[in-house]
Amino acid sequence: MLPYATAAEAEAALGRAMTPVEALWFRYTAAVPDYHLYCCNILFLFVVFTLAPLPVALLELRAPTAVAPYKLQPRVRLSKAEFARCYKDVLRIFFFVIGPLQLVSYPAVKVRLASPSSVNLCNMVGIHTRLPLPSLGEIAAQLLVYFLVEDYLNYWIHRLLHGEWGYQKIHRVHHEFTAPIGFAAPYAHWAEVLILGIPSFVGPAIAPGHMITFWLWIVFRQVEAIETHSGFDFPFTPTKYIPFYGGAEYHDYHHYVGGQSQSNFASVFTYCDYIYGTDKGYRFHKAYLAKLKALGQNDGMKGDDDGFSNAKLD
Ligand SMILES: [Zn+2]
Ligand SMILES: [Zn+2]
């Protein structure tokens, strides 16, 4: 909730006229409690989990031949019922874990208005809703920090989850899909959802930002996860131009190898796996496929460049 009763008061406090975007923000949020704005994340997540995987899923179900050249594991075809079961399980996780977590996590993320210098367990992150709104450059810089921090922490948590106990008790659920689909991005044991949710708040705690930045962070992170689990490597994917970005093929290989996988642990970028030497299996595999292609063999795959061979070289 903004501490101004009118737009004139807000502009007086800013010392300038509001930009059109700030005027919109003032109009729609000035009287809305911050907690309600924070809870918009629940709606955004529901929309993203439901709509973002839908175009690729519909293409796969309705036009499998047209998209087959881009499918990473063309031999795997899931039925409509399997897609529906995955979405239903994700909704269960959403309503029983993700949604409630959003509702109760607000005390940890709210801005330290009452005592700006204090840091305690009840206000660790410091998301604010005030004016002025951040510039596009500030938002982009903060999002980059959030992605880098989360990627690094997720790499190590994910790697630990591939230990015997972590895999059998928790991470095995996420690997039920050896050929992932977009809907399966949040498909995981409830404990994994909680554990891997923590790094999402570390970036905002290091570089506290505006509520708008936090909304964008939550949405972009989930859209990214859905894209990397899509099971398709489309040539026109814009994320291909992001340096060190892993993408669908990179993470699909991790699912393809399965529980024994000691390769491609990172969720967003490739640099952690490169630095810590956990992309060797993947690189060897890519080299093997390139060799097969050069020899004119494709190991029975649909195309010569469209997926993984039978050899699990992790
Ligand atoms: Zn894994
Ligand atoms: Zn995955």
Side-chain angles (χ1 to χ4, degrees):
M1 194 178 288
L2 297 177
Y4 320 113
T6 63
E9 269 184 41
E11 291 188 334
L14 283 173
R16 60 167 170 77
M18 285 188 280
T19 65
V21 182
E22 285 171 337
L24 268 179
W25 181 254
F26 179 84
R27 185 170 170 186
Y28 290 105
T29 72
V32 180
D34 289 357
Y35 180 59
H36 292 185
L37 294 174
Y38 180 68
C39 287
C40 288
N41 268 325
I42 298 177
L43 178 67
F44 296 150
L45 284 171
F46 177 75
V47 171
V48 168
F49 288 157
T50 303
L51 297 185
L54 208 52
V56 173
L58 287 176
L59 279 174
E60 188 169 4
L61 289 168
R62 298 280 172 88
T65 315
V67 294
Y70 311 111
K71 191 159 165 60
L72 288 161
Q73 298 186 54
R75 288 173 178 161
V76 181
R77 291 277 298 274
L78 298 186
S79 65
K80 207 192 291 184
E82 287 168 307
F83 273 87
R85 184 187 67 80
C86 177
Y87 179 61
K88 211 172 77 188
D89 286 347
V90 164
L91 281 193
R92 195 162 38 223
I93 283 286
F94 177 80
F95 283 115
F96 289 107
V97 183
I98 299 172
L101 181 67
Q102 291 285 322
L103 290 174
V104 301
S105 60
Y106 180 67
V109 304
K110 65 182 178 180
V111 70
R112 300 185 280 271
L113 279 178
S115 49
S117 59
S118 74
V119 176
N120 60 51
L121 285 175
C122 280
N123 49 22
M124 293 182 296
V125 178
I127 296 168
H128 68 87
T129 60
R130 59 182 175 255
L131 292 172
L133 294 183
S135 66
L136 283 178
E138 189 182 335
I139 291 173
Q142 285 177 327
L143 289 177
L144 179 63
V145 170
Y146 299 173
F147 268 108
L148 288 171
V149 168
E150 207 231 19
D151 188 58
Y152 185 81
L153 295 174
N154 262 12
Y155 170 86
W156 283 106
I157 295 172
H158 187 188
R159 196 168 161 175
L160 284 172
L161 285 173
H162 272 266
E164 198 177 335
W165 187 91
Y167 188 81
Q168 287 305 326
K169 300 289 182 193
I170 298 172
H171 193 48
R172 183 174 50 82
V173 177
H174 183 64
H175 276 275
E176 281 176 22
F177 286 85
T178 52
I181 55 174
F183 285 114
Y187 181 89
H189 191 285
W190 62 266
E192 177 168 338
V193 173
L194 289 180
I195 296 166
L196 288 179
I198 294 169
S200 300
F201 295 94
V202 177
I206 292 171
H210 198 274
M211 183 68 79
I212 291 175
T213 313
F214 192 71
W215 285 346
L216 289 172
W217 159 236
I218 295 293
V219 168
F220 284 172
R221 176 65 184 92
Q222 295 310 316
V223 169
E224 182 277 331
I226 287 164
E227 192 233 322
T228 56
H229 286 84
S230 68
F232 285 88
D233 186 27
F234 293 111
F236 46 81
T237 309
T239 50
K240 281 183 186 290
Y241 299 100
I242 300 173
F244 307 109
Y245 186 76
E249 189 198 8
Y250 194 79
H251 192 65
D252 204 283
Y253 177 76
H254 178 78
H255 279 263
Y256 172 73
V257 177
Q260 299 79 35
S261 182
Q262 291 301 315
S263 197
N264 297 15
F265 291 116
S267 52
V268 182
F269 301 108
T270 57
Y271 72 95
C272 279
D273 284 302
Y274 179 78
I275 290 170
Y276 298 113
T278 46
D279 63 351
K280 290 195 180 107
Y282 174 68
R283 282 195 282 144
F284 188 81
H285 178 79
K286 293 274 284 183
Y288 173 78
L289 287 183
K291 201 171 166 186
L292 281 183
K293 186 177 176 182
L295 291 170
Q297 302 167 19
N298 58 32
D299 199 26
M301 299 300 288
K302 193 171 176 60
D304 58 359
D305 58 353
D306 65 347
F308 304 121
S309 75
N310 284 328
K312 295 188 177 184
L313 301 168
D314 192 23

